[in-house]
């Protein structure tokens, strides 16, 4: 994603709407060629430092009248994200700098050419330092700032990215920057509602769902809506956007905190032309992924007593309320049991979870797996429950299923 400094947003104070920067074929028909040039710069300069790559991109775009500095910086960030760089995460570069600067300090001041006043010139001093360290100056220079991001060297350029893909990523990334200030979001979905729910949970967004005919309405919010004037949680909304873009038949409105602390609306729909490259992910958290993998391993060894596990296999309806438990367990003789995993959330979210569980406690057989940290917040609902510290164990669920 882009940083806030690379965002290009237009706020309409009369309509109270916000519009992210968007490249279109009709207005920006020359940009595919420019994107090809930027990709060529990266592909032809493997081994170059990040700073120099950015300089090359800026020079290639400096005469483009409709390409402001923020847009250029955004392109550089997206190209970097699609590339791989050598990164020195050790303390070797810092130690080398300290050693080189200490040796050079005794020669201060350095000049280009020695004369009667100044005894030490740059070339000879570099040669002396290189001899002292037992390396060539070229080797020293390559490692001197290897731990500084601007001097990371390009190891692998964007390989699976073409000009259209780069421009598409730019449009999505600029839309994400508008969501950095999001306080809440409403999504109306006619299709793919389970995918939307999954990505809302992956982004750690608190959510509620209601049904309006054949349509589902998602209300998404979180700590940002509770903590005054904070934008930290807006990143979660930005992370949710690619998953939403991968879905079908939806429209969205987000409330965004903008200039002068005023609230603006960001409106978007599946027909607006933004495209996502995300691949559906079956897991909401590392906890659930670990449980899934452990279960399937034991299932392959016929150690789950005939029970089979599915990810979000069942959707429960009651009036206008929809509930999708995390897992569905099925058995040829004993039927279906649903499993809901409850980890750490805010008190408000846990209260909402209790209300939702009470609504469905008599409509399905549900087992609760609850983190010990929030166990006291979930009252006895007449549902079997297990508690866990950091890992949900398969054996604990198998032991409780006979109930």
């Amino acid at each position: 994603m882009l940083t806030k400094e690379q965002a290009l947003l237009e706020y309409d104070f009369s309509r109270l709407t916000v519009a992210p920067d968007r490249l279109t074929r009709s207005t920006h028909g020359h940009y595919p060629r420019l994107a090809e040039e930027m990709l060529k710069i990266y592909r032809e300069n493997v081994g170059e430092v990040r700073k120099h790559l950015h300089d090359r991109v800026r020079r290639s775009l400096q005469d483009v009248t409709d390409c402001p500095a923020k847009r250029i910086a955004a392109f550089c960030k997206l190209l970097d994200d699609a590339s791989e760089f050598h990164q020195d995460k050790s303390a070797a570069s810092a130690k080398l700098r300290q050693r080189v600067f200490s040796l050079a300090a005794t020669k201060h001041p350095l000049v280009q050419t020695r004369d009667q006043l100044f005894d030490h010139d740059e070339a000879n001093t570099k040669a002396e330092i290189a001899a002292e360290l037992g390396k060539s100056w070229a080797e020293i220079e390559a490692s001197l700032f290897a731990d500084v991001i601007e001097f990371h060297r390009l190891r692998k350029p964007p390989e699976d990215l073409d000009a259209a893909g780069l421009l598409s990523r730019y449009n999505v990334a600029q839309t994400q920057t508008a969501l950095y200030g999001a306080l809440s979001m409403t999504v109306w979905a006619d299709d793919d509602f389970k995918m939307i729910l999954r990505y809302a949970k992956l982004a750690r967004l608190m959510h509620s769902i209601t049904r309006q005919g054949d349509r589902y309405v998602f209300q998404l919010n979180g700590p940002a809506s509770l903590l005054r004037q904070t934008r930290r949680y807006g990143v979660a909304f930005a992370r949710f956007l690619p998953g939403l873009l991968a879905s079908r038949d939806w429209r969205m409105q987000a409330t965004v905190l903008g200039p002068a602390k005023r609230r603006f609306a960001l409106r978007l729909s599946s027909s607006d032309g933004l495209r996502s490259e995300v691949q559906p992910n079956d897991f909401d958290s590392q906890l659930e992924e670990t449980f899934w993998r452990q279960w399937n391993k034991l299932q392959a060894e016929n150690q789950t007593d005939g029970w089979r596990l599915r990810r979000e296999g069942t959707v429960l309806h009651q009036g206008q309320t929809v509930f999708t438990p995390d897992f569905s367990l099925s058995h040829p003789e004993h039927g279906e049991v649903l499993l809901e995993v409850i980890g750490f959330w805010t008190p408000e979210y846990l209260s909402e979870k209790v209300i939702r569980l009470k609504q469905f406690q008599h409509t399905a057989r549900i087992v609760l797996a609850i983190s010990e940290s929030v166990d006291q917040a979930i009252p006895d609902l007449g549902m079997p429950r297990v508690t866990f510290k950091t890992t949900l164990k398969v054996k604990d669920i198998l032991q409780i299923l006979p109930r």
Side-chain angles (χ1 to χ4, degrees):
M1 294 190 294
L2 301 179
T3 66
K4 187 169 62 175
E5 289 71 24
Q6 295 153 356
L8 276 170
L9 305 173
E10 182 177 345
Y11 293 92
D12 187 328
F13 281 82
S14 61
R15 299 180 180 179
L16 290 179
T17 59
V18 56
D21 189 35
R22 181 80 60 85
L23 300 175
T24 63
R25 293 180 181 179
S26 58
T27 306
H28 307 92
H30 53 298
Y31 266 79
R33 175 182 57 81
L34 300 176
E36 288 286 1
E37 292 178 7
M38 288 185 279
L39 288 166
K40 183 178 180 181
I41 288 171
Y42 273 65
R43 289 167 180 160
E44 292 184 352
N45 290 279
V46 174
E48 186 63 274
V49 298
R50 193 190 306 259
K51 179 179 182 297
H52 294 164
L53 290 169
H54 292 184
D55 289 340
R56 290 175 184 270
V57 170
R58 289 190 195 96
R59 288 197 296 270
S60 72
L61 299 176
Q62 64 184 359
D63 295 328
V64 181
T65 56
D66 64 343
C67 193
K70 283 191 174 185
R71 189 178 284 173
I72 297 174
F75 279 130
C76 291
K77 176 65 164 57
L78 294 174
L79 288 165
D80 286 353
D81 290 346
S83 306
E84 293 182 11
F85 289 83
H86 292 282
Q87 300 183 37
D88 181 8
K89 297 182 180 179
S90 68
S93 294
K95 292 179 179 178
L96 177 62
R97 282 198 301 276
Q98 186 177 26
R99 180 65 173 150
V100 169
F101 293 163
S102 296
L103 293 172
T106 62
K107 311 295 185 180
H108 182 79
L110 294 178
V111 294
Q112 292 296 320
T113 304
R114 288 187 293 178
D115 56 26
Q116 293 180 345
L117 293 177
F118 301 102
D119 297 331
H120 304 291
D121 64 276
E122 182 180 331
N124 283 320
T125 299
K126 287 181 176 179
E128 292 172 8
I129 293 173
E132 176 74 18
L133 299 180
K135 298 180 179 181
S136 69
W137 182 255
E139 292 176 306
I140 294 173
E141 194 170 40
S143 303
L144 201 57
F145 295 99
D147 57 340
V148 179
I149 188 170
E150 289 86 351
F151 293 94
H152 289 169
R153 294 188 178 275
L154 181 62
R155 177 170 60 191
K156 186 177 179 181
E159 294 182 347
D160 300 324
L161 185 64
D162 58 13
L166 177 59
L167 300 181
S168 177
R169 289 189 185 186
Y170 175 85
N171 287 339
V172 172
Q174 285 292 355
T175 305
Q176 287 178 300
T177 66
L179 292 171
Y180 292 164
L183 301 176
S184 63
M185 179 186 293
T186 302
V187 178
W188 295 265
D190 295 319
D191 201 349
D192 283 346
F193 69 91
K194 289 181 66 176
M195 180 183 291
I196 294 172
L197 175 60
R198 180 172 300 159
Y199 279 98
K201 295 173 72 174
L202 285 170
R204 314 306 291 174
L205 288 166
M206 298 184 187
H207 53 272
S208 61
I209 312 169
T210 56
R211 186 175 182 179
Q212 296 179 354
D214 294 331
R215 172 178 295 173
Y216 293 89
V217 182
F218 297 79
Q219 296 288 345
L220 308 178
N221 51 55
S225 62
L226 305 174
L227 303 178
R228 189 174 300 173
Q229 298 179 2
T230 180
R231 297 192 179 193
R232 177 177 60 86
Y233 207 66
V235 175
F237 286 103
R239 288 175 178 160
F240 166 69
L241 181 64
L244 179 62
L245 295 178
S247 306
R248 297 169 294 181
D249 298 332
W250 54 268
R251 63 183 178 90
M252 175 272 281
Q253 178 169 312
T255 299
V256 176
L257 190 65
K261 299 179 182 178
R262 300 186 67 177
R263 299 190 175 200
F264 295 80
L266 172 66
R267 298 185 179 94
L268 200 64
S269 76
S270 54
S271 61
D272 284 338
L274 291 180
R275 295 291 178 264
S276 172
E277 299 174 354
V278 302
Q279 297 296 323
N281 191 318
D282 286 337
F283 305 106
D284 298 342
S285 65
Q286 185 65 46
L287 169 70
E288 293 183 17
E289 181 175 1
T290 300
F291 176 75
W292 171 269
R293 296 187 185 283
Q294 290 178 348
W295 183 285
N296 282 313
K297 179 181 178 182
L298 293 176
Q299 183 172 294
E301 298 170 355
N302 296 318
Q303 297 184 36
T304 58
D305 301 332
W307 289 94
R308 303 185 69 84
L309 187 70
R310 286 190 300 160
R311 178 80 185 99
E312 290 180 348
T314 300
V315 178
L316 302 178
H317 304 264
Q318 191 174 97
Q320 299 297 304
T321 305
V322 182
F323 177 42
T324 306
D326 296 302
F327 294 101
S328 172
L329 296 153
S330 60
H331 191 280
E333 297 180 12
H334 306 303
E336 182 180 63
V337 174
L338 306 178
L339 174 62
E340 177 69 6
V341 182
I342 304 175
F344 175 75
W345 290 98
T346 67
E348 292 80 7
Y349 185 82
L350 292 174
S351 297
E352 177 67 25
K353 178 68 72 174
V354 170
I355 294 172
R356 186 65 49 85
L357 289 170
K358 286 181 177 179
Q359 286 181 276
F360 291 95
Q361 61 183 337
H362 300 302
T363 61
R365 295 187 293 174
I366 303 175
V367 171
L368 303 180
I370 308 173
S371 170
E372 289 183 355
S373 62
V374 298
D375 185 43
Q376 297 300 317
I378 307 297
D380 184 3
L381 300 172
M383 301 175 182
R385 63 200 286 167
V386 299
T387 59
F388 60 90
K389 289 185 178 180
T390 57
T391 302
L392 177 59
K393 298 179 180 179
V394 173
K395 67 178 182 65
D396 292 339
I397 299 300
L398 289 174
Q399 288 175 357
I400 207 170
L401 282 175
R403 294 176 51 186

